Amino acid sequence: MMAQLRNLFKRSTPEIKPSVVGKNEIAWAESRLYNAQFPKYNPDELIGRKGHKIYKQMMLDEQVKAVVRFKRDAITSREIIFVMPNINSHSQAPGGEDHDRIQLYEEMIRKTKGSFVDGMNYVLMAMYQGFSLTEKIFDVFDSIDGKPFVGLKELVPKPFDTFEFYTDKFGQITKTIQTLDNEEQIIDLDRFIYYVQNPEFDRHYGQSDLREAYRSWYSKDVIIRLYNQFLERFAGGFVVGKPTQGASLVAGTPDYNAMIAAMNNIQNQTSILLPHNIELDIERPATTDQYERAIQLHDLQIAKSLLIPTLLGITPQATNSGGGFAQANTQLEAFLWTLDADASRLEEAMNEQVFEPLNKLNFADGIGPLMKFKAISDTKKMEIVKSWQELVTSGAVEASDTDEHHLRELLEFPHKGEPLKLKPEIGEPTSPPEAKKSVRGPVEDTNTKRVNNAAFSRATKRVSFAVIERKANKIEDNSVIRVESRFGDMVSDMAARIEEEKWGTPAAPVAGITSVDFNAKLKNKARKAIEDALNEAWALGVQHSRTELSSARKQQFNIDMARIAEVAAVFLLPRSVRA
């Protein structure tokens, strides 16, 4: 009996259905009317009634243009940085592989034709068009070290109203057609940045941000026309003609007809001679601000439809609202917060459609830098830094070089260099070393101190810069002569071999030149001349370093330069000759 009761209240085991991973869509998204013969129409009914030019016409309104440009520039005016997506396997600090890749893309952005910000503005034309198609032009560039790479040459906007999309019943784009001047061509969307604004309304055509502002824009446009008529009608007053007391004016008489004709033609410069029994009065209407108030109201509604606060200086302030500097800052922070979604969507579109394809073309592992916007306000920056500090202090995260590098980029600090430290002078009292904890790792020695300005000034007076310069110039002159001679031998040998082998003639086809190289022995001699020049310069530096250190210590000072020499060799050897 108890077992039956337990089974009665026992929770049923849910049925596990087969996995749907990798399956195609099953729910239809588009009408079967859209197939290979009929493109999908733009569902924006305003475009359907007024045509594609309606939003461009709205952009001619001073308030619409101001708020749209303000919202757009609040996104694209942020400084961009490049970050690596996988910071655990690479180092983004200077000298690391990731840093070199980031520097490569920064150089690419500088070489992009025109302004890269203008290119992002082309993409954000979707804010008032609904969607945008911006063609991306790739080209081959030379990097800083002379190696070729594929980079972004230019971003070119295309007229959105010339494109139509063909979709299947699941809503997937099967074909894109551009029609212009009665000519059609099939478009490869991979060649474009395809950006959709408000995709929740339509995933292919989107919806313009100006759609909600149309009612206020239209009402404002009508009010301005009526206001102009009002000003024209009553600017000079309303003229009234009436007979004097005891006189009469009979319709149809010559005097009546003359008065009607004269009053119909009255202008600012008009003069008129009246009969003795007729007088003219000018009636002026009472001053009214109803038109101005109505225009300001619709300006506020236009800004409201685009989520622009009223205290930012680009919209009329409501008459019944107060506010000051603190309130304006609060509204600005709230406004920037509302833009985070649009900024993130633009980041994702640029990374997915521009930088990730470039990463696959340029790097064997396909991993490369991605674009990221910096925080636009100091408040946002300090919030990020404060949160990071709290996490490190609490032990929730462990600080690393990549964290510091990212924060320096965020705060626009230069890359961290080596601190200048100097051991205590002879006879200077020292305190016992104390271990000091650091979230960055190694223990610091409190006996060391940073070089102050006075010590640095004394050191510069001791150093014989003129002597060092004279010796360095002599080494440079002699080295140039030796290296030039070695390269001359290589070129002369190459010319003789070309003439002897008759390369480039029918006897020796041009194809044979692809395997030609300089003589190995002569190449080694040239390399040896360059290495000798670098070693002479290194020896000069070591000699004067010993002298200056001994002079500063007032005693003979010996330094084991073996480790420093090894580091220098690692640095100089791969940079001396690359051919």
Side-chain angles (χ1 to χ4, degrees):
M1 184 66 180
M2 294 299 296
Q4 293 178 351
L5 288 175
R6 283 196 298 270
N7 291 334
L8 180 64
F9 293 100
K10 185 178 180 180
R11 188 173 183 179
S12 60
T13 303
E15 179 184 359
I16 301 178
K17 297 182 180 181
S19 174
V20 295
V21 176
K23 301 293 184 180
N24 294 326
E25 299 180 52
I26 60 174
W28 295 334
E30 302 289 356
S31 170
R32 297 293 298 275
L33 180 65
Y34 306 135
N35 50 41
Q37 297 180 355
F38 298 100
K40 177 183 177 180
Y41 70 90
N42 194 327
D44 190 334
E45 72 279 1
L46 185 59
I47 290 180
R49 290 188 287 111
K50 300 292 185 179
H52 290 89
K53 294 183 178 180
I54 181 61
Y55 291 126
K56 291 184 179 180
Q57 185 179 353
M58 292 178 65
M59 282 293 292
L60 297 177
D61 181 90
E62 64 278 0
Q63 185 62 39
V64 174
K65 178 182 177 181
V67 295
V68 171
R69 292 284 182 87
F70 180 77
K71 184 177 180 180
R72 182 201 69 188
D73 293 345
I75 298 174
T76 60
S77 64
R78 305 185 189 190
E79 187 176 354
I80 65 169
I81 58 175
F82 286 99
V83 297
M84 295 296 292
N86 188 1
I87 62 174
N88 295 324
S89 61
H90 300 282
S91 171
Q92 297 189 42
E97 179 184 355
D98 285 1
H99 179 266
D100 293 341
R101 296 185 180 185
I102 290 174
Q103 193 175 23
L104 179 69
Y105 275 35
E106 290 174 347
E107 179 68 15
M108 176 189 68
I109 292 301
R110 285 192 290 269
K111 291 182 178 180
T112 301
K113 185 177 180 180
S115 169
F116 184 70
V117 175
D118 289 341
M120 292 191 293
N121 288 340
Y122 297 150
V123 175
L124 286 187
M125 288 169 66
M127 293 177 65
Y128 62 88
Q129 294 177 170
F131 73 97
S132 66
L133 281 169
T134 307
E135 189 167 0
K136 49 189 178 182
I137 310 297
F138 290 163
D139 201 354
V140 179
F141 297 89
D142 288 334
S143 61
I144 299 174
D145 57 0
K147 297 180 180 179
F149 72 97
V150 180
L152 180 66
K153 178 181 179 182
E154 187 177 5
L155 293 175
V156 184
K158 301 298 178 180
F160 82 108
D161 55 327
T162 62
F163 296 94
E164 292 179 321
F165 304 107
Y166 289 75
T167 61
D168 58 19
K169 59 184 177 182
F170 298 107
Q172 300 297 326
I173 295 178
T174 59
K175 184 171 58 174
T176 304
I177 298 293
Q178 183 184 28
T179 305
L180 187 62
D181 296 334
N182 296 324
E183 294 186 13
E184 289 187 353
Q185 64 171 335
I186 298 178
I187 296 299
D188 180 10
L189 282 182
D190 291 337
R191 299 281 301 274
F192 294 80
I193 302 175
Y194 174 39
Y195 187 79
V196 180
Q197 186 77 1
N198 300 316
E200 64 271 19
F201 293 100
D202 187 84
R203 58 192 277 191
H204 304 122
Y205 290 99
Q207 180 172 288
S208 170
D209 284 348
L210 300 184
R211 181 62 188 88
E212 292 81 4
Y214 174 75
R215 180 172 59 184
S216 291
W217 171 82
Y218 177 77
S219 299
K220 175 186 172 184
D221 188 58
V222 172
I223 291 172
I224 289 177
R225 289 200 298 268
L226 295 175
Y227 192 20
N228 290 337
Q229 294 177 7
F230 171 81
L231 294 176
E232 181 183 8
R233 184 71 180 86
F234 294 104
F238 188 77
V239 181
V240 179
K242 56 184 179 180
T244 58
Q245 186 175 3
S248 60
L249 191 61
V250 180
T253 61
D255 290 344
Y256 178 83
N257 294 333
M259 283 297 303
I260 294 297
M263 294 179 67
N264 289 337
N265 293 295
I266 288 179
Q267 298 178 359
N268 290 339
Q269 303 298 326
T270 299
S271 59
I272 184 173
L273 182 63
L274 298 175
H276 69 280
N277 59 345
I278 300 295
E279 61 181 16
L280 293 181
D281 288 336
I282 297 178
E283 300 292 340
R284 300 184 182 277
T287 302
T288 176
D289 61 350
Q290 294 302 317
Y291 285 103
E292 292 93 332
R293 292 172 60 184
I295 292 173
Q296 290 184 6
L297 172 64
H298 290 300
D299 279 343
L300 288 171
Q301 294 299 103
I302 290 172
K304 182 179 179 181
S305 68
L306 289 163
L307 305 178
I308 305 295
T310 59
L311 294 179
L312 299 187
I314 61 170
T315 59
Q317 185 173 340
T319 56
N320 58 347
S321 67
F325 181 74
Q327 185 177 354
N329 280 341
T330 303
Q331 288 194 5
L332 177 60
E333 289 295 330
F335 170 65
L336 298 178
W337 177 73
T338 64
L339 292 182
D340 283 347
D342 285 334
S344 298
R345 291 186 68 248
L346 180 60
E347 277 182 12
E348 293 175 3
M350 297 297 293
N351 287 328
E352 178 185 356
Q353 302 182 54
V354 178
F355 296 109
E356 287 183 358
L358 287 177
N359 293 338
K360 295 178 180 178
L361 292 173
N362 288 314
F363 310 116
D365 55 8
I367 300 175
L370 298 178
M371 186 192 88
K372 185 176 181 61
F373 284 115
K374 284 187 177 181
I376 192 172
S377 65
D378 293 336
T379 303
K380 282 281 186 184
K381 293 179 183 179
M382 296 313 299
E383 286 178 358
I384 295 173
V385 174
K386 184 179 179 181
S387 299
W388 178 81
Q389 181 183 13
E390 291 175 351
L391 290 172
V392 172
T393 304
S394 64
V397 298
E398 183 178 355
S400 65
D401 289 340
T402 52
D403 297 332
E404 180 178 352
H405 177 71
H406 178 72
L407 291 175
R408 284 180 175 273
E409 288 282 350
L410 181 67
L411 298 175
E412 300 179 1
F413 283 176
H415 296 303
K416 184 178 180 181
E418 292 295 330
L420 296 175
K421 295 182 179 180
L422 186 67
K423 292 183 178 180
E425 298 286 349
I426 295 178
E428 181 181 349
T430 60
S431 57
E434 296 180 359
K436 184 167 107 174
K437 293 185 179 179
S438 171
V439 295
R440 292 189 49 77
V443 178
E444 296 180 357
D445 185 0
T446 56
N447 288 332
T448 60
K449 65 178 181 179
R450 299 183 180 276
V451 178
N452 55 35
N453 292 335
F456 183 76
S457 178
R458 291 195 301 270
T460 57
K461 293 178 181 179
R462 286 195 305 267
V463 178
S464 301
F465 289 106
V467 176
I468 296 175
E469 182 181 9
R470 185 170 60 254
K471 293 181 179 180
N473 289 339
K474 184 176 180 180
I475 292 176
E476 181 181 357
D477 293 339
N478 294 335
S479 300
V480 168
I481 294 174
R482 293 197 300 267
V483 172
E484 184 181 36
S485 176
R486 296 292 182 262
F487 276 105
D489 294 341
M490 292 170 57
V491 174
S492 298
D493 176 75
M494 176 66 70
R497 291 168 58 193
I498 292 175
E499 184 177 358
E500 180 181 355
E501 301 291 339
K502 300 186 182 334
W503 286 326
T505 66
V510 178
I513 301 179
T514 57
S515 60
V516 71
D517 195 1
F518 290 105
N519 183 281
K521 292 183 178 180
L522 297 177
K523 225 159 97 169
N524 288 334
K525 290 183 178 179
R527 181 181 290 108
K528 183 66 168 55
I530 296 175
E531 291 177 359
D532 289 343
L534 294 174
N535 288 330
E536 286 185 43
W538 172 257
L540 176 66
V542 171
Q543 175 188 351
H544 281 273
S545 297
R546 293 178 183 274
T547 302
E548 298 307 328
L549 287 173
S550 300
S551 175
R553 302 290 181 180
K554 306 299 183 184
Q555 64 178 0
Q556 189 66 26
F557 190 72
N558 295 322
I559 303 176
D560 184 8
M561 302 293 293
R563 186 181 65 84
I564 301 178
E566 291 177 1
V567 175
V570 172
F571 176 82
L572 294 176
L573 184 59
R575 290 166 173 80
S576 58
V577 180
R578 299 193 179 188

